[in-house]
Amino acid sequence: MSTLTTQDTFNSILESAPKNFTELRSKGKAQYLSQGLPALKDEEYKFTPIRKKIEQTISRFELAKSFEVNALDVKAAIFAGFEGSVLVFTNGKFIPELSSYDTTLTVNEITDQPDLPLGSIAKAEKDPFVGLNQAGFQDGIAISLPKKSKIEKPVLLLSFYKSNEGQVIQPRIWIEAGDFAEASFIDLSVSMDDSPYFVNKVVEIKGGVNSQLNYYRLQNEGKHVIEVSNTETDIREHSRFTSVNVSLSGDMVRNNLNLNLIGSNSEGNMYGLYLLNGKTHVDNHTNVDHTIPHAESNELYKGILADQSRGVFNGKIFVRQDAQKTNAFQQNNNILLSEDAIVNTKPQLEIWADDVKCSHGCTTGQLDEEALFYLRARGIDKTQAKGLLLYAFAGEVLEHIGDESFREYCIALVGDRLGSKF
Amino acid sequence: MLSIKNLHASIEGTPILRGINLEIKAGEVHAIMGPNGSGKSTLASVLAGREEYEVTEGEVLFQGKDLLELAPEERAREGVFLAFQYPVEIPGVSSTNFLRTAVNQVREHRGLEPLDAVKFLSLMKEKMKLVEIDQKLLSRALNEGFSGGEKKRNEIFQMAMLEPKLSILDETDSGLDIDALKVVSNGVNQLKSPENATIVVTHYQRLLDYIVPDFVHVLYKGQIVKSGTKDLALELEEKGYDWIKEEVESKATV
Ligand SMILES: Nc1ncnc2c1ncn2[C@@H]1O[C@H](COP(=O)(O)OP(=O)(O)OP(=O)(O)O)[C@@H](O)[C@H]1O
Ligand SMILES: [Mg+2]
């Protein structure tokens, strides 16, 4: 029953997708149809009933159209102290009139770039949502950074979403950085109202040799949002890529982050914070693939879960036979603030090389009572003492956000939440 | 200042304190000694408000107020300070932020203006001198990776910052080298005034050479079984606890 249903429901979406990239789309469609939406028996989705969630929440299986926003909306969405390029999107469509960016960047709508090697980094066979996006993406952009360009100020990818009775939005982003290029991206989404929608986003990042790229994402949309993101990058020689993902809201969120270390002396970093309440469900699946010797990966994901929220962490570290002298570190720590909150955490190490340094660890527990008493014994009230401890816990992730204004913004959001809610 | 009457406390159903009586007046220094496991830290914890302990009987009045009714933070604001036997390491919480929050919450309770950053820093500098604590230590996360001695010194530094009325020093001397012991004792002595009182829990007479007690009490099996002047500490140093234990046991059989 189920595969048929999902095929049927999404068929209309695929039908209404633009008629470009025909070959790419039909391959994506074939991949998607061969897998269908993941069911609970699917190992990769066993803690995240995303199909059920989509079927319950999404009433109109059609692509949400681009809508109008104005300069004031843009201004209101940008956090204090931000300086840099701004690329504005509504339901995935790029709005050049409201965007302003560093002239070193080349920004094009995907539809104008028929030769883009979309799907060459995020491959449709890896995940049905990548297939679905490849088959039916609406809009998106390709950003390219020339060789040796240093984009000093961050590039804000500001997406506004609005849907009519639960529609589907499929944005696509392609980033290509030349050799020695440096840039930071901030992926920020804003819900225009409280209505549900389903976003299925794919971001592909192709890094040149000696490049340094940061990709920061804040998920703080409406409480009824279903969001799937697939972010994948190839990291070449002497390059560094850092991802920081902060999830604060939503109904059900699934992030697949794949780092492919394909050049020696490269470094891939993955940091994540999920601070959840209500019934929010956030699932982070990360995968770092060490294919070459002398590369390093660092990973730290932390969760604070209140109410009936649920967190899932799955961290794969794959060290291939050739990847000698790999250093790979992974850590996942969770604090449960309520008896009804749940965390499922699973490190998955597959190591085929023998000369490697790998470590991983995960903890799930309550707030440290000893520490809490210590703070209270100095006169700090209980709520504030809890806040201080949780804030410190979260801070270890947020400190990896290189851009000060964005870091401060995230810290403030987290601080507010810890002060009021918990 | 502090009046403890027939205090009984247990943890997880096991009675630890079995009827403590103790009167402490402003300006006094009381030493509490006693063999390991006799309940000294338990008494200190119960006074500071640790919630794992259940008070099953008795009362504690602090400046006329029922201390046992108050939350730990309220006790601290009223002026009770516990220097922990094992100070907790708190990663990610900066020592300075923590202390500023604490000092200002205590000040607010006492009806004083909060200290701004400048005033707070100058107060910190002044008190740092008192216990000769290194600035570098305080720029780190609270107690994180501090040596045993550094933690103890930091406790006394916090005490200096918070200006309590009743300080309870739980084995602050253990882990301190001789020089640090002098510095810390000197700090405690300078903070002493006719308005405040100190309880020092210790195993060693040595500390009492520097912080001279008005009274020495021996805690054994959850009761104060002997009280005396500082000479009692000397006697204990010489003879150990066996004679006291025997005294207690013989009384019990009578
Ligand atoms: N959770 C617990 N359950 C049962 N017994 C406990 C618990 N915590 C402490 N105790 C016991 O309470 C008794 C008193 O402990 P306390 O720490 O007060 O002793 P102390 O006099 O401070 O000893 P020391 O000189 O070694 O510091 C000990 O026998 C200890 O084992
Ligand atoms: Mg003790």
Side-chain angles (χ1 to χ4, degrees):
Chain A
M1 159 226 153
S2 35
T3 312
L4 245 181
T5 318
T6 49
Q7 283 183 14
D8 287 348
T9 48
F10 279 101
N11 266 349
S12 55
I13 288 185
L14 303 184
E15 236 96 273
S16 66
K19 300 289 174 242
N20 48 17
F21 295 96
T22 355
E23 204 189 321
L24 183 79
R25 288 182 192 278
S26 73
K27 276 188 192 154
K29 184 172 177 179
Q31 280 299 341
Y32 165 68
L33 291 180
S34 73
Q35 305 172 68
L37 283 189
L40 277 185
K41 63 180 190 308
D42 186 330
E43 187 61 27
E44 294 295 321
Y45 283 83
K46 69 174 176 187
F47 298 116
T48 300
I50 187 106
R51 174 201 291 192
K52 202 166 134 210
K53 186 58 90 179
I54 290 170
E55 285 170 354
Q56 283 168 352
T57 314
I58 300 305
S59 46
R60 291 172 63 182
F61 283 87
E62 55 185 37
L63 292 169
K65 295 213 164 50
S66 166
F67 59 96
E68 223 169 281
V69 291
N70 58 37
L72 284 178
D73 297 319
V74 173
K75 201 170 164 227
I78 297 179
F79 41 90
F82 174 79
E83 275 179 49
S85 303
V86 182
L87 304 177
V88 176
F89 306 81
T90 66
N91 285 348
K93 182 163 178 57
F94 182 50
I95 312 290
E97 308 85 72
L98 291 173
S99 303
S100 62
Y101 50 90
D102 194 313
T103 48
T104 332
L105 297 172
T106 309
V107 179
N108 280 303
E109 291 197 49
I110 273 178
T111 38
D112 299 336
Q113 303 270 296
D115 298 329
L116 271 184
L118 292 177
S120 60
I121 298 175
K123 300 197 174 67
E125 62 268 26
K126 275 200 193 164
D127 184 273
F129 290 103
V130 178
L132 182 63
N133 180 292
Q134 183 171 317
F137 66 88
Q138 295 147 281
D139 286 299
I141 54 161
I143 304 173
S144 79
L145 288 78
K147 261 189 187 174
K148 296 195 180 163
S149 57
K150 279 196 173 58
I151 314 296
E152 305 272 354
K153 293 180 176 149
V155 180
L156 178 63
L157 307 167
L158 179 60
S159 303
F160 292 95
Y161 294 125
K162 186 163 88 176
S163 121
N164 217 334
E165 297 168 43
Q167 294 167 311
V168 180
I169 304 156
Q170 300 217 79
R172 183 121 193 161
I173 289 180
W174 172 269
I175 296 173
E176 191 163 341
D179 298 345
F180 296 90
E182 291 177 19
S184 298
F185 297 88
I186 301 171
D187 182 335
L188 177 67
S189 302
V190 177
S191 303
M192 296 302 283
D193 54 38
D194 209 24
S195 62
Y197 51 81
F198 167 48
V199 184
N200 178 31
K201 184 171 194 166
V202 175
V203 179
E204 290 176 275
I205 302 169
K206 183 180 172 190
V209 302
N210 290 75
S211 64
Q212 299 213 17
L213 300 174
N214 301 310
Y215 197 89
Y216 310 129
R217 178 184 283 138
L218 172 63
Q219 295 172 316
N220 191 23
E221 292 148 78
K223 274 283 171 205
H224 305 293
V225 173
I226 307 171
E227 184 164 337
V228 174
S229 77
N230 274 279
T231 308
E232 182 147 357
T233 182
D234 288 344
I235 308 172
R236 295 188 162 70
E237 287 85 340
H238 299 282
S239 295
R240 184 169 65 211
F241 176 85
T242 299
S243 160
V244 184
N245 197 100
V246 179
S247 307
L248 303 179
S249 183
D251 184 350
M252 185 173 279
V253 175
R254 163 69 176 242
N255 299 309
N256 294 324
L257 174 65
N258 299 315
L259 268 49
N260 306 315
L261 290 159
I262 59 169
S264 289
N265 299 301
S266 58
E267 184 183 321
N269 303 310
M270 297 166 281
Y271 302 103
L273 172 70
Y274 37 103
L275 173 60
L276 313 178
N277 58 15
K279 289 187 169 177
T280 298
H281 178 130
V282 171
D283 176 347
N284 281 295
H285 264 61
T286 67
N287 183 8
V288 57
D289 189 358
H290 285 262
T291 65
I292 38 75
H294 290 285
E296 178 178 323
S297 63
N298 299 292
E299 176 163 36
L300 175 66
Y301 270 71
K302 288 189 149 193
I304 299 174
L305 296 97
D307 305 335
Q308 291 148 284
S309 63
R310 178 146 185 189
V312 179
F313 172 80
N314 183 293
K316 265 193 208 124
I317 300 178
F318 199 78
V319 182
R320 298 185 189 229
Q321 205 165 4
D322 289 341
Q324 300 296 353
K325 306 280 179 194
T326 286
N327 283 335
F329 305 102
Q330 181 190 88
Q331 191 62 238
N332 174 236
N333 307 112
N334 300 286
I335 293 180
L336 302 180
L337 295 175
S338 116
E339 288 191 356
D340 300 322
I342 301 175
V343 166
N344 301 100
T345 171
K346 184 177 173 195
Q348 252 180 296
L349 274 59
E350 227 179 285
I351 298 171
W352 297 97
D354 42 34
D355 187 9
V356 299
K357 255 193 231 153
C358 267
S359 73
H360 70 92
C362 51
T363 58
T364 299
Q366 271 81 40
L367 203 58
D368 182 351
E369 288 294 331
E370 282 294 306
L372 190 60
F373 177 66
Y374 189 82
L375 298 180
R376 295 178 73 193
R378 296 298 177 251
I380 302 175
D381 72 55
K382 193 174 179 179
T383 316
Q384 205 161 351
K386 276 186 179 177
L388 263 178
L389 293 175
L390 293 171
Y391 190 73
F393 178 81
E396 286 190 325
V397 168
L398 299 179
E399 71 187 20
H400 292 285
I401 298 175
D403 177 62
E404 192 183 338
S405 65
F406 185 58
R407 184 176 59 241
E408 290 301 321
Y409 179 56
C410 291
I411 287 175
L413 289 174
V414 167
D416 274 0
R417 274 279 287 281
L418 294 176
S420 61
K421 174 67 203 168
F422 301 115
Chain B
M1 171 176 285
L2 184 75
S3 163
I4 305 175
K5 290 206 178 83
N6 191 31
L7 182 66
H8 289 251
S10 42
I11 184 154
E12 287 163 15
T14 314
I16 311 285
L17 302 184
R18 303 150 180 271
I20 303 255
N21 292 293
L22 186 62
E23 292 289 330
I24 296 180
K25 295 196 181 65
E28 292 177 349
V29 175
H30 290 241
I32 295 183
M33 305 183 78
N36 293 130
S38 57
K40 303 181 297 296
S41 295
T42 303
L43 175 61
S45 299
V46 168
L47 293 178
R50 198 186 277 274
E51 283 159 350
E52 299 92 283
Y53 295 95
E54 195 199 345
V55 173
T56 49
E57 230 184 297
E59 66 166 19
V60 179
L61 295 179
F62 176 64
Q63 297 188 307
K65 281 190 187 153
D66 182 354
L67 193 68
L68 302 176
E69 281 288 292
L70 303 178
E73 58 270 33
E74 292 169 326
R75 300 182 193 198
R77 293 173 198 169
E78 288 288 333
V80 176
F81 181 91
L82 169 63
F84 285 61
Q85 182 173 4
Y86 304 108
V88 187
E89 299 198 14
I90 310 189
V93 172
S94 95
S95 298
T96 318
N97 264 353
F98 150 72
L99 258 182
R100 199 167 154 204
T101 311
V103 165
N104 281 335
Q105 292 210 348
V106 169
R107 286 179 67 89
E108 190 184 334
H109 181 78
R110 295 179 187 163
L112 300 168
E113 292 280 296
L115 293 180
D116 62 28
V118 178
K119 288 208 182 100
F120 177 75
L121 277 181
S122 72
L123 179 69
M124 276 224 334
K125 285 219 178 89
E126 179 198 325
K127 304 294 185 184
M128 275 160 58
K129 277 202 204 106
L130 194 71
V131 288
E132 297 177 22
I133 194 165
D134 195 343
Q135 168 87 57
K136 273 192 219 121
L137 221 47
L138 298 177
S139 62
R140 283 163 45 184
L142 186 49
N143 290 330
E144 193 185 16
F146 285 25
S147 75
E150 287 167 343
K151 283 180 186 161
K152 296 302 176 77
R153 206 181 273 234
N154 193 21
E155 293 293 289
I156 302 307
F157 170 64
Q158 291 174 29
M159 170 181 148
M161 290 294 291
L162 294 168
E163 300 177 342
K165 302 227 168 58
L166 173 69
S167 304
I168 307 162
L169 313 183
D170 191 358
E171 295 196 28
T172 300
D173 52 338
S174 61
L176 289 180
D177 64 42
I178 312 264
D179 292 338
L181 184 69
K182 281 186 198 159
V183 170
V184 165
S185 316
N186 189 28
V188 172
N189 285 332
Q190 286 194 44
L191 295 166
K192 231 163 54 179
S193 83
E195 281 83 50
N196 59 28
T198 313
I199 299 176
V200 277
V201 174
T202 183
H203 286 294
Y204 306 105
Q205 149 62 24
R206 193 182 58 171
L207 176 71
L208 304 180
D209 285 340
Y210 298 105
I211 305 174
V212 183
D214 301 297
F215 301 95
V216 174
H217 310 278
V218 177
L219 196 63
Y220 178 57
K221 289 189 175 171
Q223 286 181 328
I224 291 180
V225 292
K226 201 166 190 69
S227 295
T229 62
K230 62 182 193 308
D231 297 337
L232 177 57
L234 288 169
E235 199 176 351
L236 291 170
E237 179 89 350
E238 203 177 303
K239 303 204 280 189
Y241 290 111
D242 281 352
W243 63 283
I244 290 187
K245 291 181 187 170
E246 274 161 28
E247 259 184 43
V248 175
E249 308 303 335
S250 66
K251 264 187 215 156
T253 49
V254 172

PDB file of all heavy atoms in Angstrom, chain B residues 40-41 85 170-171, ligand 2:
ATOM      1  N   LYS B  40      30.778  14.713  59.325  1.00  0.00           N
ATOM      2  CA  LYS B  40      31.158  16.132  59.281  1.00  0.00           C
ATOM      3  C   LYS B  40      30.669  16.809  57.999  1.00  0.00           C
ATOM      4  O   LYS B  40      30.046  17.868  58.046  1.00  0.00           O
ATOM      5  CB  LYS B  40      32.693  16.264  59.397  1.00  0.00           C
ATOM      6  CG  LYS B  40      33.258  15.617  60.655  1.00  0.00           C
ATOM      7  CD  LYS B  40      34.758  15.773  60.755  1.00  0.00           C
ATOM      8  CE  LYS B  40      35.541  15.090  59.631  1.00  0.00           C
ATOM      9  NZ  LYS B  40      35.405  13.622  59.611  1.00  0.00           N
ATOM     10  N   SER B  41      30.966  16.163  56.866  1.00  0.00           N
ATOM     11  CA  SER B  41      30.511  16.762  55.600  1.00  0.00           C
ATOM     12  C   SER B  41      28.988  16.739  55.501  1.00  0.00           C
ATOM     13  O   SER B  41      28.379  17.629  54.916  1.00  0.00           O
ATOM     14  CB  SER B  41      31.105  16.021  54.401  1.00  0.00           C
ATOM     15  OG  SER B  41      32.498  16.186  54.387  1.00  0.00           O
ATOM     16  N   GLN B  85      34.301  20.401  50.421  1.00  0.00           N
ATOM     17  CA  GLN B  85      35.436  19.480  50.539  1.00  0.00           C
ATOM     18  C   GLN B  85      35.917  19.084  49.138  1.00  0.00           C
ATOM     19  O   GLN B  85      37.106  19.005  48.884  1.00  0.00           O
ATOM     20  CB  GLN B  85      35.031  18.233  51.337  1.00  0.00           C
ATOM     21  CG  GLN B  85      36.188  17.259  51.541  1.00  0.00           C
ATOM     22  CD  GLN B  85      35.830  16.095  52.476  1.00  0.00           C
ATOM     23  OE1 GLN B  85      34.689  15.958  52.924  1.00  0.00           O
ATOM     24  NE2 GLN B  85      36.821  15.269  52.773  1.00  0.00           N
ATOM     25  N   ASP B 170      34.929  23.034  54.815  1.00  0.00           N
ATOM     26  CA  ASP B 170      35.008  21.585  54.950  1.00  0.00           C
ATOM     27  C   ASP B 170      36.353  21.087  54.423  1.00  0.00           C
ATOM     28  O   ASP B 170      36.555  20.975  53.213  1.00  0.00           O
ATOM     29  CB  ASP B 170      33.848  20.924  54.187  1.00  0.00           C
ATOM     30  CG  ASP B 170      33.719  19.437  54.512  1.00  0.00           C
ATOM     31  OD1 ASP B 170      34.546  18.912  55.293  1.00  0.00           O
ATOM     32  OD2 ASP B 170      32.783  18.803  53.979  1.00  0.00           O
ATOM     33  N   GLU B 171      37.234  20.790  55.330  1.00  0.00           N
ATOM     34  CA  GLU B 171      38.578  20.296  54.982  1.00  0.00           C
ATOM     35  C   GLU B 171      39.249  21.138  53.911  1.00  0.00           C
ATOM     36  O   GLU B 171      39.812  20.610  52.951  1.00  0.00           O
ATOM     37  CB  GLU B 171      38.511  18.822  54.552  1.00  0.00           C
ATOM     38  CG  GLU B 171      38.079  17.954  55.700  1.00  0.00           C
ATOM     39  CD  GLU B 171      38.373  16.477  55.460  1.00  0.00           C
ATOM     40  OE1 GLU B 171      39.326  16.168  54.726  1.00  0.00           O
ATOM     41  OE2 GLU B 171      37.646  15.654  56.042  1.00  0.00           O
TER      42      GLU B 171
HETATM   43 MG    MG C   2      34.009  15.014  54.856  1.00  0.00          MG
END
